[in-house]
């Protein structure tokens, strides 16, 4: 995720503070590592949720989507979704989900369906298919651009 942080810093400069949270033990949905509740506590410790946009990939995307209630925005990159995620907590949050169209690790179809569920609940949500798979290595610049622009839009910062 560091290249994403670098791109956001480069594009938005001092307008946006970037924090990188790394879960070295296991995926966010695993019983061996930190839980989404730990992530929620960390987000609350940063400051005002209304001025926060979360970004996460795979299980990190799932965790970010799960705890983003009250935030300005959330960007899920090829999020690991079960098909049983809730929507109501994201009302008022700008949601962007980008997913590799050929992803065989997590489901682009579930991501698209989740965005449909969210918009049905009045959430400002968009789904962006990206050529490639789960690792976001193909068309990396496109992934970084999508993420940085979604963060800027959620936080209301203008293009430099």
């Amino acid at each position: 995720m560091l290249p994403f942080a670098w791109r956001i810093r480069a594009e938005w400069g001092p307008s946006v503070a970037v924090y990188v949270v790394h879960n070295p033990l296991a995926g966010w949905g695993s019983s061996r590592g930190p839980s989404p509740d730990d992530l929620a506590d960390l987000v609350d410790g940063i400051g005002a949720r209304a001025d926060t946009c979360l970004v996460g990939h795979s299980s990190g995307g799932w965790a970010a989507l799960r705890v983003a209630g009250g935030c300005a925005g959330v960007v899920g990159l090829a999020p690991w979704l079960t098909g049983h995620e809730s929507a109501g907590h994201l009302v008022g949050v700008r949601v962007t989900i980008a997913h590799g169209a050929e992803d065989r690790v997590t489901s682009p179809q579930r991501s698209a369906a989740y965005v449909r569920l969210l918009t049905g609940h009045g959430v400002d949500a968009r789904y962006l298919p990206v050529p490639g798979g789960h690792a976001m290595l193909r068309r990396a610049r496109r992934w970084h651009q999508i993420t940085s622009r979604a963060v800027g839009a959620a936080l209301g910062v203008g293009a430099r």
Side-chain angles (χ1 to χ4, degrees), residues 1-6 20-21 55-57 77 136 147:
M1 294 302 296
L2 283 175
F4 290 89
W6 298 333
V20 178
V21 178
V55 178
H57 173 247
L77 304 170
M136 303 181 298
T147 303

Side-chain angles (χ1 to χ4, degrees), residues 4-75:
F4 290 89
W6 298 333
R7 169 66 188 260
I8 292 165
R9 282 186 184 126
E11 188 160 347
W12 303 118
S15 314
V16 175
V18 178
Y19 300 88
V20 178
V21 178
H22 180 66
N23 178 354
L25 300 174
W28 284 100
S30 167
S31 62
R32 297 182 315 226
S35 74
D37 291 337
D38 296 323
L39 178 61
D41 291 344
L42 191 137
V43 171
D44 289 338
I46 290 171
R49 278 183 172 260
D51 296 328
T52 302
C53 182
L54 304 177
V55 178
H57 173 247
S58 197
S59 65
W62 168 79
L65 287 160
R66 187 167 171 183
V67 304
C71 290
V74 61
V75 182

Side-chain angles (χ1 to χ4, degrees), residues 91-110:
V91 171
V93 178
R94 186 180 177 107
V95 177
T96 300
I97 296 180
H99 211 121
E102 294 90 37
D103 191 334
R104 293 189 181 137
V105 176
T106 59
S107 171
Q109 294 80 15
R110 282 188 185 160

